[in-house]
Amino acid sequence: MRLLIPCMKCLQVFGRPSNELARVEFRDDGRYELTCPFGHETTTIVQQQKFEILFDIGAHAILDGYYREAISSIASSLERFYEFAIRVFLEQSSKSDDLFQSCWRTVSSQSERQLGAFIFLWASNVGSAPKLLSDKQTAFRNNVIHKGKIPTKEEAIKYGNSVLEALRPKMLIIQNTFAEEVQKIVFYHLRDSRAGADEKKPISTICSPTIVSLSVGELSHHQGSLEDHLVTLSDRRARA
């Protein structure tokens, strides 16, 4: 899986993006310092949250036949969504990212504690218990990741759809109910990704479409199955 990045300096100089796109591997910090064929040095920051990127990485892994890796990435996407939701809820209550950062350090390596925090914060902010993965799907995920189970393509897609059903409705509720807090979390992400960048280089942001996406407003995008999105991804890869 590669991220395609246009040169924003070419857009400024020539009035249009160049036909040359940088094909880069995803970075954990979301920051890409590039030099285009015309010699323009730029820094580009990807706006998406990590849970958005990880689900797409899992989908691409399915297309490439790496089903264990797909399940690992999709499971990580759900866990990082829980982190994102916790951050939104604490932003709503404290109007600062400091409280989240202070608390997160104590649970950053303990996924069960993160899940517990999410459950109770969701209940207190939304007023209902969150729908989680079934015990069967959780056991399947653990067997793949911790016990070396080799899943089939059908099992990987079924698991992916289960995560979509658990994640997507919650993401839409957060978008609609905590829009201001979501924008603040996106700002924190861009701020943190920009830290350490060369300030002399032009800095821009991009927003790449993903299967679970905070930036896509069309309701139809959030209703398709994983199979539907795999077809879209396959077509997109063929045109790249």
Side-chain angles (χ1 to χ4, degrees), residues 162-183:
S162 296
V163 172
L164 272 184
E165 292 172 5
L167 189 161
R168 200 155 47 185
K170 298 180 183 64
M171 182 187 71
L172 294 176
I173 289 173
I174 287 176
Q175 277 183 300
N176 293 329
T177 310
F178 304 96
E180 181 178 342
E181 288 76 19
V182 168
Q183 289 303 313

Side-chain angles (χ1 to χ4, degrees), residues 10-134:
C10 283
L11 179 61
Q12 296 175 359
V13 173
F14 305 123
R16 58 174 177 79
S18 69
N19 292 325
E20 296 291 333
L21 297 175
R23 289 169 167 80
V24 299
E25 295 182 348
F26 278 92
R27 290 172 52 92
D28 191 64
D29 61 9
R31 186 178 73 237
Y32 302 86
E33 298 182 4
L34 305 168
T35 303
C36 82
F38 294 96
H40 302 141
E41 296 183 349
T42 59
T43 298
T44 301
I45 298 172
V46 175
Q47 178 175 312
Q48 270 80 6
Q49 298 294 300
K50 190 169 286 186
F51 75 88
E52 300 174 76
I53 298 296
L54 282 167
F55 202 107
D56 255 34
I57 290 175
H60 280 278
I62 291 176
L63 291 177
D64 292 331
Y66 298 107
Y67 307 127
R68 292 193 78 252
E69 291 76 5
I71 289 168
S72 176
S73 293
I74 291 172
S76 293
S77 170
L78 183 59
E79 291 179 350
R80 298 288 62 78
F81 171 74
Y82 293 154
E83 176 185 355
F84 169 78
I86 292 169
R87 198 172 187 182
V88 167
F89 294 143
L90 292 185
E91 175 68 27
Q92 194 277 332
S93 64
S94 69
K95 308 303 179 185
S96 168
D97 198 42
D98 294 340
L99 180 60
F100 169 80
Q101 296 297 341
S102 177
C103 294
W104 190 254
R105 283 193 290 269
T106 66
V107 300
S108 61
S109 60
Q110 298 167 308
S111 59
E112 288 298 322
R113 290 188 178 184
Q114 295 170 25
L115 177 59
F118 166 77
I119 291 172
F120 283 98
L121 282 171
W122 179 273
S124 64
N125 283 273
V126 179
S128 62
K131 178 182 177 182
L132 305 175
L133 290 183
S134 68

Side-chain angles (χ1 to χ4, degrees), residues 137-177:
Q137 287 295 344
T138 299
F140 170 75
R141 173 261 190 203
N142 291 339
N143 285 338
V144 170
I145 294 177
H146 300 301
K147 297 183 179 180
K149 176 179 173 59
I150 301 175
T152 64
K153 179 179 181 180
E154 291 72 22
E155 287 175 324
I157 291 176
K158 182 178 180 180
Y159 178 78
N161 275 321
S162 296
V163 172
L164 272 184
E165 292 172 5
L167 189 161
R168 200 155 47 185
K170 298 180 183 64
M171 182 187 71
L172 294 176
I173 289 173
I174 287 176
Q175 277 183 300
N176 293 329
T177 310

